[in-house]
Amino acid sequence: MKKRVLTLLMASLCALTLMTSTMAPVMASAYSGEGTGIETRAEQFRWYYRTHDGEKQMRLWSVTYGVWRTDWVPVPEDWTYPGD
């Protein structure tokens, strides 16, 4: 008898929990996009150049995050090199 009452109580609690979670109101509003101060921005990069052992090389720096994005790589032949 005690076991049956406990089982009935647990089943009722589970049913109540499921009912309240599905009946929760949804609060939606139209997004105006103004006054939030949030902007989408792309990451900004800057190429750095050097001549190492007679070879022109370049490396990409992330201005946004302050980290190098590439190692030193040779400048391609068709690349417009600012040092020329």
Side-chain angles (χ1 to χ4, degrees):
M1 176 74 171
K2 196 176 191 183
K3 199 174 203 179
R4 197 175 269 181
V5 171
L6 187 59
T7 304
L8 184 61
L9 179 66
M10 294 301 269
S12 299
L13 285 175
C14 288
L16 184 63
T17 304
L18 290 174
M19 283 180 51
T20 55
S21 64
T22 58
M23 294 171 42
V26 176
M27 304 297 272
S29 61
Y31 174 69
S32 64
E34 297 176 7
T36 60
I38 299 173
E39 297 177 14
T40 303
R41 295 187 178 211
E43 185 174 1
Q44 296 180 354
F45 298 102
R46 180 173 177 196
W47 284 105
Y48 283 87
Y49 299 91
R50 75 175 183 182
T51 303
H52 182 70
D53 292 333
E55 179 185 27
K56 293 179 183 177
Q57 297 178 335
M58 60 186 191
R59 192 173 190 187
L60 189 61
W61 174 256
S62 170
V63 177
T64 307
Y65 298 110
V67 295
W68 291 110
R69 292 295 185 188
T70 64
D71 292 328
W72 287 105
V73 294
V75 177
E77 293 294 324
D78 60 343
W79 191 269
T80 304
Y81 183 70
D84 290 340

Coordinates of all heavy atoms in Angstrom, one line a residue:
M1 N 0.8 -1.2 0.0 CA 0.0 0.0 0.0 C 0.9 1.3 0.0 O 0.6 2.2 -0.8 CB -0.9 0.0 1.2 CG -1.7 1.2 1.4 SD -3.1 1.2 0.2 CE -4.0 2.5 0.8
K2 N 1.9 1.3 0.9 CA 2.8 2.4 0.9 C 3.5 2.6 -0.4 O 3.7 3.7 -0.9 CB 3.8 2.2 2.1 CG 4.5 3.4 2.5 CD 5.3 3.0 3.8 CE 5.9 4.2 4.4 NZ 6.7 3.9 5.5
K3 N 3.9 1.5 -1.0 CA 4.6 1.5 -2.2 C 3.7 2.1 -3.4 O 4.2 2.9 -4.2 CB 5.1 0.1 -2.6 CG 6.2 0.1 -3.6 CD 6.7 -1.3 -3.7 CE 8.1 -1.3 -4.2 NZ 8.6 -2.7 -4.4
R4 N 2.5 1.7 -3.3 CA 1.5 2.1 -4.4 C 1.3 3.7 -4.2 O 1.2 4.4 -5.2 CB 0.2 1.4 -4.2 CG -0.6 1.4 -5.4 CD -1.8 0.6 -5.2 NE -1.5 -0.8 -5.8 CZ -2.4 -1.8 -5.8 NH1 -3.6 -1.6 -5.3 NH2 -2.0 -2.9 -6.4
V5 N 1.2 4.2 -3.0 CA 0.9 5.6 -2.8 C 2.2 6.4 -3.3 O 2.1 7.4 -3.9 CB 0.6 5.9 -1.3 CG1 0.6 7.4 -1.0 CG2 -0.7 5.2 -0.9
L6 N 3.3 5.9 -3.0 CA 4.6 6.6 -3.4 C 4.7 6.6 -4.9 O 5.1 7.6 -5.5 CB 5.8 5.9 -2.7 CG 7.1 6.5 -2.9 CD1 7.1 7.9 -2.3 CD2 8.2 5.7 -2.2
T7 N 4.4 5.5 -5.5 CA 4.4 5.4 -7.0 C 3.4 6.4 -7.6 O 3.8 7.1 -8.6 CB 4.1 4.0 -7.5 OG1 5.0 3.1 -6.8 CG2 4.3 3.9 -9.0
L8 N 2.2 6.5 -7.1 CA 1.2 7.4 -7.6 C 1.7 8.8 -7.4 O 1.5 9.7 -8.3 CB -0.1 7.1 -6.8 CG -1.3 7.9 -7.3 CD1 -1.6 7.7 -8.8 CD2 -2.5 7.7 -6.4
L9 N 2.3 9.1 -6.3 CA 2.8 10.5 -6.0 C 3.9 10.8 -7.0 O 3.9 11.9 -7.6 CB 3.3 10.6 -4.6 CG 3.9 11.9 -4.2 CD1 2.8 13.0 -4.2 CD2 4.5 11.8 -2.8
M10 N 4.8 10.0 -7.2 CA 5.9 10.2 -8.2 C 5.4 10.4 -9.6 O 5.9 11.3 -10.3 CB 6.9 9.1 -8.1 CG 7.7 9.0 -6.8 SD 8.5 10.5 -6.4 CE 10.1 10.1 -7.1
A11 N 4.4 9.6 -10.0 CA 3.9 9.7 -11.3 C 3.1 11.0 -11.5 O 3.2 11.7 -12.5 CB 2.9 8.5 -11.6
S12 N 2.5 11.4 -10.4 CA 1.8 12.7 -10.5 C 2.7 13.9 -10.6 O 2.5 14.8 -11.4 CB 0.9 12.9 -9.2 OG -0.1 11.9 -9.1
L13 N 3.8 13.8 -9.9 CA 4.9 14.9 -10.0 C 5.5 14.9 -11.4 O 5.7 16.0 -11.9 CB 5.9 14.6 -8.9 CG 5.6 15.0 -7.5 CD1 6.7 14.6 -6.5 CD2 5.3 16.5 -7.4
C14 N 5.7 13.8 -12.0 CA 6.3 13.7 -13.3 C 5.3 14.3 -14.3 O 5.7 15.1 -15.2 CB 6.7 12.3 -13.7 SG 8.1 11.7 -12.9
A15 N 4.1 14.0 -14.2 CA 3.0 14.5 -15.1 C 2.9 16.0 -14.9 O 2.7 16.7 -15.9 CB 1.7 13.8 -14.9
L16 N 2.9 16.5 -13.7 CA 2.8 17.9 -13.4 C 4.0 18.6 -14.0 O 3.9 19.7 -14.6 CB 2.7 18.1 -11.9 CG 2.5 19.6 -11.5 CD1 1.1 20.1 -12.0 CD2 2.5 19.7 -10.0
T17 N 5.2 18.1 -13.9 CA 6.4 18.7 -14.4 C 6.3 18.8 -15.9 O 6.6 19.9 -16.5 CB 7.6 17.9 -14.0 OG1 7.7 17.8 -12.6 CG2 8.9 18.6 -14.5
L18 N 5.9 17.8 -16.6 CA 5.7 17.8 -18.1 C 4.7 18.8 -18.5 O 4.9 19.5 -19.5 CB 5.4 16.4 -18.6 CG 6.5 15.3 -18.5 CD1 6.0 14.0 -18.9 CD2 7.7 15.8 -19.3
M19 N 3.6 18.9 -17.8 CA 2.5 19.8 -18.2 C 2.9 21.2 -18.1 O 2.7 22.1 -18.9 CB 1.3 19.5 -17.4 CG 0.5 18.3 -17.8 SD -1.0 18.0 -16.8 CE -1.8 19.6 -16.8
T20 N 3.6 21.6 -17.0 CA 4.0 23.0 -16.8 C 5.1 23.4 -17.8 O 5.2 24.5 -18.2 CB 4.5 23.2 -15.3 OG1 5.6 22.3 -15.1 CG2 3.4 23.0 -14.4
S21 N 6.0 22.5 -18.2 CA 7.0 22.9 -19.1 C 6.5 23.1 -20.5 O 7.0 23.9 -21.2 CB 8.1 21.8 -19.1 OG 7.7 20.6 -19.6
T22 N 5.4 22.4 -20.9 CA 4.9 22.6 -22.2 C 3.9 23.8 -22.2 O 3.6 24.3 -23.3 CB 4.1 21.3 -22.7 OG1 3.1 21.0 -21.7 CG2 5.0 20.1 -22.8
M23 N 3.5 24.2 -21.1 CA 2.5 25.3 -21.0 C 3.2 26.7 -20.8 O 2.6 27.7 -20.5 CB 1.5 25.1 -20.0 CG 0.6 23.9 -20.3 SD -0.5 23.3 -19.0 CE -1.1 24.8 -18.3
A24 N 4.5 26.7 -20.8 CA 5.2 27.9 -20.5 C 5.0 28.9 -21.6 O 5.0 28.6 -22.8 CB 6.7 27.6 -20.4
P25 N 4.7 30.2 -21.2 CA 4.4 31.2 -22.3 C 5.7 31.5 -23.1 O 6.8 31.6 -22.5 CB 3.9 32.4 -21.5 CG 4.6 32.2 -20.1 CD 4.7 30.7 -19.9
V26 N 5.5 31.8 -24.3 CA 6.6 32.3 -25.2 C 6.5 33.8 -25.3 O 5.5 34.3 -25.8 CB 6.5 31.6 -26.6 CG1 7.6 32.1 -27.5 CG2 6.6 30.1 -26.4
M27 N 7.6 34.4 -25.0 CA 7.6 35.9 -25.0 C 8.4 36.3 -26.2 O 9.7 36.2 -26.2 CB 8.1 36.5 -23.7 CG 7.4 36.0 -22.5 SD 5.7 36.6 -22.5 CE 5.9 38.2 -21.7
A28 N 7.8 36.7 -27.3 CA 8.5 37.1 -28.5 C 8.2 38.6 -28.7 O 7.1 39.1 -28.5 CB 8.2 36.3 -29.6
S29 N 9.2 39.3 -29.2 CA 9.0 40.7 -29.6 C 9.8 40.9 -30.9 O 10.8 40.3 -31.2 CB 9.5 41.6 -28.5 OG 10.8 41.5 -28.3
A30 N 9.3 41.9 -31.6 CA 10.0 42.3 -32.9 C 11.3 42.9 -32.6 O 11.4 43.8 -31.7 CB 9.1 43.2 -33.7
Y31 N 12.3 42.6 -33.3 CA 13.7 43.2 -33.2 C 13.8 44.4 -34.0 O 13.6 44.4 -35.2 CB 14.7 42.1 -33.6 CG 16.1 42.7 -33.6 CD1 16.8 43.0 -32.4 CD2 16.8 42.9 -34.8 CE1 18.0 43.6 -32.4 CE2 18.1 43.5 -34.7 CZ 18.7 43.8 -33.6 OH 20.0 44.3 -33.5
S32 N 14.0 45.5 -33.3 CA 14.1 46.8 -34.0 C 15.5 47.0 -34.5 O 15.7 47.8 -35.5 CB 13.7 47.9 -33.1 OG 14.6 48.0 -32.0
G33 N 16.5 46.5 -33.8 CA 17.9 46.7 -34.3 C 18.5 48.0 -33.9 O 19.7 48.3 -34.2
E34 N 17.8 48.8 -33.2 CA 18.3 50.1 -32.8 C 18.5 50.2 -31.3 O 17.7 49.6 -30.5 CB 17.3 51.2 -33.2 CG 17.1 51.3 -34.7 CD 16.1 52.3 -35.1 OE1 15.6 53.0 -34.2 OE2 15.7 52.4 -36.3
G35 N 19.4 50.9 -30.9 CA 19.6 51.2 -29.5 C 20.3 50.1 -28.7 O 20.5 50.2 -27.5
T36 N 20.7 49.0 -29.4 CA 21.4 47.9 -28.7 C 22.9 48.1 -28.5 O 23.5 47.6 -27.6 CB 21.1 46.6 -29.4 OG1 21.7 46.6 -30.7 CG2 19.7 46.2 -29.5
G37 N 23.5 48.9 -29.4 CA 24.9 49.1 -29.4 C 25.7 47.9 -29.8 O 26.9 47.9 -29.7
I38 N 25.0 46.9 -30.4 CA 25.7 45.7 -30.9 C 25.9 45.8 -32.4 O 24.9 46.1 -33.1 CB 24.9 44.4 -30.5 CG1 24.8 44.3 -29.0 CG2 25.6 43.2 -31.1 CD1 23.9 43.2 -28.6
E39 N 27.1 45.6 -32.9 CA 27.4 45.6 -34.3 C 28.1 44.4 -34.7 O 28.9 43.9 -33.9 CB 28.2 46.8 -34.6 CG 27.6 48.2 -34.3 CD 28.6 49.3 -34.6 OE1 29.6 49.1 -35.3 OE2 28.3 50.4 -34.2
T40 N 27.8 43.9 -35.9 CA 28.6 42.8 -36.4 C 29.8 43.4 -37.1 O 29.7 44.2 -38.0 CB 27.7 42.0 -37.5 OG1 26.6 41.6 -36.8 CG2 28.5 40.8 -38.0
R41 N 31.0 42.8 -36.8 CA 32.2 43.3 -37.3 C 33.1 42.1 -37.8 O 33.1 41.1 -37.1 CB 33.0 44.1 -36.3 CG 32.3 45.4 -35.9 CD 33.2 46.2 -35.1 NE 32.5 47.4 -34.7 CZ 33.1 48.6 -34.5 NH1 34.4 48.6 -34.6 NH2 32.4 49.6 -34.2
A42 N 33.7 42.3 -38.9 CA 34.6 41.3 -39.4 C 36.0 41.4 -38.8 O 36.4 42.5 -38.4 CB 34.7 41.4 -41.0
E43 N 36.7 40.4 -38.8 CA 38.1 40.4 -38.3 C 38.9 41.2 -39.2 O 38.8 41.1 -40.4 CB 38.6 39.0 -38.1 CG 39.9 38.9 -37.5 CD 40.4 37.4 -37.3 OE1 39.7 36.5 -37.6 OE2 41.5 37.3 -36.7
Q44 N 39.8 42.1 -38.6 CA 40.7 42.9 -39.4 C 42.1 42.3 -39.5 O 42.6 41.8 -38.4 CB 40.7 44.3 -38.9 CG 39.4 45.0 -39.0 CD 39.4 46.4 -38.4 OE1 40.4 46.8 -37.8 NE2 38.3 47.1 -38.5
F45 N 42.7 42.3 -40.7 CA 44.0 41.7 -40.9 C 44.9 42.8 -41.4 O 44.5 43.8 -42.0 CB 43.9 40.6 -41.9 CG 43.1 39.4 -41.4 CD1 41.8 39.3 -42.0 CD2 43.5 38.5 -40.5 CE1 41.0 38.2 -41.6 CE2 42.7 37.5 -40.1 CZ 41.5 37.3 -40.7
R46 N 46.2 42.5 -41.2 CA 47.3 43.4 -41.8 C 48.5 42.5 -42.2 O 48.9 41.6 -41.4 CB 47.7 44.4 -40.8 CG 48.8 45.3 -41.4 CD 49.2 46.4 -40.5 NE 50.2 47.2 -41.1 CZ 51.0 48.0 -40.5 NH1 50.8 48.3 -39.2 NH2 52.0 48.6 -41.1
W47 N 48.9 42.6 -43.4 CA 50.1 41.9 -43.9 C 51.4 42.6 -43.4 O 51.5 43.8 -43.6 CB 50.1 41.8 -45.4 CG 49.2 40.8 -45.9 CD1 48.0 41.0 -46.5 CD2 49.3 39.3 -45.9 NE1 47.4 39.8 -46.9 CE2 48.2 38.8 -46.5 CE3 50.3 38.5 -45.4 CZ2 48.0 37.4 -46.6 CZ3 50.1 37.1 -45.5 CH2 48.9 36.6 -46.1
Y48 N 52.4 41.9 -42.9 CA 53.7 42.4 -42.6 C 54.7 41.8 -43.6 O 54.6 40.6 -43.9 CB 54.1 42.1 -41.2 CG 53.4 43.1 -40.2 CD1 52.1 42.8 -39.7 CD2 54.0 44.3 -39.8 CE1 51.5 43.6 -38.8 CE2 53.3 45.1 -38.9 CZ 52.1 44.8 -38.5 OH 51.5 45.6 -37.6
Y49 N 55.7 42.5 -44.0 CA 56.6 42.1 -45.0 C 58.0 42.2 -44.5 O 58.3 43.0 -43.6 CB 56.5 42.9 -46.3 CG 55.2 42.8 -46.9 CD1 54.2 43.7 -46.6 CD2 54.9 41.8 -47.9 CE1 52.9 43.7 -47.2 CE2 53.6 41.8 -48.5 CZ 52.6 42.7 -48.1 OH 51.4 42.6 -48.7
R50 N 58.9 41.3 -45.0 CA 60.3 41.4 -44.7 C 61.1 40.7 -45.8 O 60.6 40.0 -46.6 CB 60.6 40.7 -43.4 CG 60.6 39.1 -43.4 CD 61.0 38.5 -42.2 NE 61.1 37.0 -42.3 CZ 61.4 36.2 -41.3 NH1 61.7 36.7 -40.1 NH2 61.4 34.9 -41.5
T51 N 62.4 41.0 -45.8 CA 63.3 40.3 -46.7 C 64.2 39.5 -45.9 O 65.0 40.0 -45.0 CB 64.1 41.3 -47.6 OG1 63.2 42.1 -48.3 CG2 65.0 40.6 -48.5
H52 N 64.2 38.2 -46.0 CA 65.0 37.3 -45.2 C 65.8 36.4 -46.1 O 65.4 35.7 -47.0 CB 64.0 36.4 -44.4 CG 64.8 35.4 -43.5 ND1 65.4 35.8 -42.4 CD2 64.9 34.1 -43.5 CE1 66.0 34.8 -41.8 NE2 65.7 33.7 -42.5
D53 N 67.2 36.5 -46.0 CA 68.1 35.8 -46.8 C 67.9 36.1 -48.3 O 67.9 35.2 -49.1 CB 68.1 34.3 -46.6 CG 68.7 34.0 -45.2 OD1 69.5 34.8 -44.6 OD2 68.3 33.0 -44.6
G54 N 67.5 37.3 -48.6 CA 67.3 37.7 -50.0 C 65.9 37.3 -50.6 O 65.6 37.6 -51.7
E55 N 65.1 36.7 -49.7 CA 63.7 36.3 -50.2 C 62.7 37.2 -49.5 O 62.7 37.4 -48.3 CB 63.5 34.8 -49.8 CG 62.1 34.3 -50.2 CD 61.9 32.9 -49.6 OE1 62.5 32.5 -48.6 OE2 61.0 32.2 -50.3
K56 N 61.8 37.7 -50.4 CA 60.7 38.5 -49.8 C 59.6 37.6 -49.2 O 59.2 36.7 -49.8 CB 60.0 39.4 -50.9 CG 61.0 40.4 -51.5 CD 60.3 41.2 -52.6 CE 61.3 42.2 -53.2 NZ 60.7 42.9 -54.4
Q57 N 59.3 37.9 -47.9 CA 58.3 37.1 -47.2 C 57.2 38.0 -46.6 O 57.4 39.2 -46.5 CB 59.0 36.3 -46.1 CG 60.0 35.3 -46.6 CD 60.7 34.6 -45.4 OE1 60.8 35.1 -44.3 NE2 61.2 33.4 -45.7
M58 N 56.1 37.3 -46.3 CA 55.0 38.1 -45.7 C 54.3 37.2 -44.6 O 54.4 36.0 -44.6 CB 53.9 38.5 -46.8 CG 53.3 37.3 -47.5 SD 52.2 38.0 -48.8 CE 51.4 36.5 -49.3
R59 N 53.6 37.9 -43.7 CA 53.0 37.2 -42.6 C 51.7 38.0 -42.2 O 51.7 39.2 -42.2 CB 54.0 37.2 -41.4 CG 53.5 36.3 -40.3 CD 54.6 36.2 -39.2 NE 54.3 35.1 -38.3 CZ 54.9 34.9 -37.2 NH1 56.0 35.6 -36.9 NH2 54.6 33.9 -36.4
L60 N 50.7 37.2 -41.9 CA 49.4 37.9 -41.7 C 49.1 38.0 -40.2 O 49.2 37.1 -39.4 CB 48.2 37.0 -42.3 CG 46.8 37.6 -42.3 CD1 46.8 38.8 -43.1 CD2 45.8 36.5 -42.8
W61 N 48.8 39.3 -39.8 CA 48.6 39.6 -38.4 C 47.1 40.0 -38.2 O 46.5 40.7 -39.0 CB 49.4 40.9 -38.0 CG 49.1 41.4 -36.7 CD1 48.4 42.5 -36.4 CD2 49.6 40.9 -35.4 NE1 48.4 42.8 -35.0 CE2 49.1 41.8 -34.4 CE3 50.4 39.8 -35.0 CZ2 49.4 41.6 -33.0 CZ3 50.6 39.6 -33.7 CH2 50.1 40.5 -32.7
S62 N 46.4 39.4 -37.2 CA 45.1 39.8 -36.8 C 45.1 41.0 -35.9 O 45.4 40.9 -34.8 CB 44.4 38.6 -36.1 OG 43.1 39.0 -35.6
V63 N 44.6 42.1 -36.5 CA 44.5 43.3 -35.7 C 43.5 43.2 -34.6 O 43.6 43.7 -33.5 CB 44.2 44.5 -36.6 CG1 44.0 45.8 -35.8 CG2 45.2 44.7 -37.7
T64 N 42.4 42.4 -34.9 CA 41.3 42.3 -34.0 C 41.7 41.5 -32.7 O 41.4 41.9 -31.6 CB 40.1 41.5 -34.7 OG1 39.8 42.2 -35.9 CG2 38.9 41.4 -33.8
Y65 N 42.4 40.4 -32.9 CA 42.7 39.5 -31.8 C 44.2 39.6 -31.3 O 44.5 39.0 -30.3 CB 42.4 38.0 -32.2 CG 40.9 37.8 -32.4 CD1 40.5 37.6 -33.7 CD2 40.0 37.9 -31.4 CE1 39.1 37.4 -34.0 CE2 38.6 37.8 -31.7 CZ 38.2 37.5 -33.0 OH 36.9 37.3 -33.2
G66 N 45.0 40.3 -32.1 CA 46.4 40.5 -31.7 C 47.2 39.2 -31.8 O 48.1 39.0 -30.9
V67 N 47.0 38.4 -32.8 CA 47.8 37.2 -32.9 C 48.2 37.0 -34.4 O 47.5 37.5 -35.3 CB 47.0 35.9 -32.5 CG1 46.7 35.9 -31.0 CG2 45.7 35.8 -33.3
W68 N 49.3 36.3 -34.6 CA 49.7 35.9 -36.0 C 48.8 34.9 -36.5 O 48.5 33.9 -35.9 CB 51.1 35.4 -36.0 CG 52.1 36.5 -35.7 CD1 52.9 36.6 -34.6 CD2 52.5 37.6 -36.6 NE1 53.7 37.7 -34.7 CE2 53.5 38.4 -35.9 CE3 52.1 38.1 -37.8 CZ2 54.0 39.5 -36.4 CZ3 52.6 39.2 -38.4 CH2 53.6 39.9 -37.7
R69 N 48.3 35.0 -37.8 CA 47.4 34.0 -38.4 C 48.2 33.1 -39.3 O 47.7 32.0 -39.7 CB 46.3 34.7 -39.2 CG 45.3 35.4 -38.3 CD 44.6 34.4 -37.4 NE 43.6 35.0 -36.6 CZ 42.9 34.4 -35.7 NH1 43.2 33.1 -35.5 NH2 42.0 35.0 -35.0
T70 N 49.4 33.5 -39.8 CA 50.2 32.6 -40.6 C 51.7 32.7 -40.2 O 52.1 33.6 -39.4 CB 50.2 33.1 -42.1 OG1 50.7 34.4 -42.2 CG2 48.7 33.1 -42.7
D71 N 52.4 31.8 -40.7 CA 53.9 31.8 -40.5 C 54.4 32.7 -41.7 O 53.7 33.2 -42.5 CB 54.5 30.4 -40.6 CG 54.1 29.6 -39.5 OD1 54.0 30.1 -38.3 OD2 54.0 28.3 -39.6
W72 N 55.7 32.9 -41.7 CA 56.3 33.7 -42.7 C 56.3 32.8 -44.0 O 56.7 31.7 -44.0 CB 57.8 34.1 -42.4 CG 57.9 35.1 -41.4 CD1 58.3 35.0 -40.1 CD2 57.6 36.5 -41.6 NE1 58.2 36.2 -39.4 CE2 57.9 37.2 -40.3 CE3 57.2 37.3 -42.7 CZ2 57.7 38.5 -40.1 CZ3 57.0 38.7 -42.5 CH2 57.3 39.3 -41.2
V73 N 55.7 33.4 -45.0 CA 55.6 32.6 -46.3 C 56.2 33.5 -47.4 O 56.2 34.7 -47.3 CB 54.1 32.3 -46.6 CG1 53.5 31.3 -45.6 CG2 53.2 33.6 -46.7
P74 N 56.7 32.8 -48.5 CA 57.2 33.6 -49.6 C 56.1 34.5 -50.3 O 55.0 34.0 -50.4 CB 57.7 32.6 -50.6 CG 57.8 31.3 -49.8 CD 56.9 31.4 -48.7
V75 N 56.5 35.6 -50.7 CA 55.5 36.5 -51.4 C 55.3 35.9 -52.8 O 56.3 35.7 -53.6 CB 56.1 38.0 -51.5 CG1 55.1 38.8 -52.3 CG2 56.2 38.5 -50.1
P76 N 54.1 35.7 -53.3 CA 53.9 35.2 -54.7 C 54.4 36.2 -55.7 O 54.5 37.4 -55.5 CB 52.4 35.0 -54.7 CG 51.9 35.0 -53.3 CD 52.9 35.8 -52.5
E77 N 54.7 35.6 -56.9 CA 55.3 36.5 -58.0 C 54.3 37.6 -58.4 O 54.7 38.7 -58.7 CB 55.7 35.6 -59.2 CG 56.8 34.6 -58.9 CD 58.1 35.4 -58.6 OE1 58.4 36.4 -59.3 OE2 58.9 34.9 -57.8
D78 N 53.0 37.2 -58.4 CA 52.0 38.2 -58.9 C 51.5 39.1 -57.8 O 50.6 39.9 -58.0 CB 50.9 37.5 -59.6 CG 50.2 36.5 -58.7 OD1 50.8 36.2 -57.6 OD2 49.1 36.1 -59.0
W79 N 52.0 39.0 -56.6 CA 51.6 39.8 -55.5 C 52.2 41.2 -55.6 O 53.3 41.4 -55.9 CB 52.1 39.1 -54.2 CG 51.5 39.7 -52.9 CD1 52.0 40.7 -52.2 CD2 50.3 39.3 -52.3 NE1 51.2 40.9 -51.1 CE2 50.1 40.0 -51.2 CE3 49.3 38.3 -52.6 CZ2 49.0 39.9 -50.3 CZ3 48.3 38.1 -51.7 CH2 48.1 38.9 -50.6
T80 N 51.3 42.2 -55.3 CA 51.8 43.6 -55.3 C 52.5 43.9 -53.9 O 51.9 43.9 -52.9 CB 50.6 44.6 -55.4 OG1 49.9 44.2 -56.6 CG2 51.1 46.0 -55.5
Y81 N 53.8 44.0 -54.0 CA 54.6 44.1 -52.8 C 54.8 45.6 -52.5 O 55.2 46.4 -53.4 CB 56.0 43.5 -53.0 CG 56.9 43.5 -51.8 CD1 56.6 42.7 -50.7 CD2 58.1 44.3 -51.9 CE1 57.5 42.7 -49.6 CE2 58.9 44.3 -50.8 CZ 58.6 43.5 -49.7 OH 59.5 43.5 -48.6
P82 N 54.4 46.1 -51.3 CA 54.5 47.5 -51.1 C 55.9 48.1 -51.0 O 56.1 49.3 -51.1 CB 53.8 47.7 -49.7 CG 53.8 46.4 -49.1 CD 53.9 45.4 -50.2
G83 N 56.9 47.2 -50.9 CA 58.3 47.7 -50.8 C 58.9 48.1 -52.2 O 59.9 48.7 -52.3
D84 N 58.2 47.7 -53.3 CA 58.8 48.0 -54.6 C 58.4 49.4 -55.1 O 57.3 49.9 -54.9 CB 58.3 47.0 -55.6 CG 58.9 45.6 -55.3 OD1 60.0 45.6 -54.7 OD2 58.3 44.6 -55.8

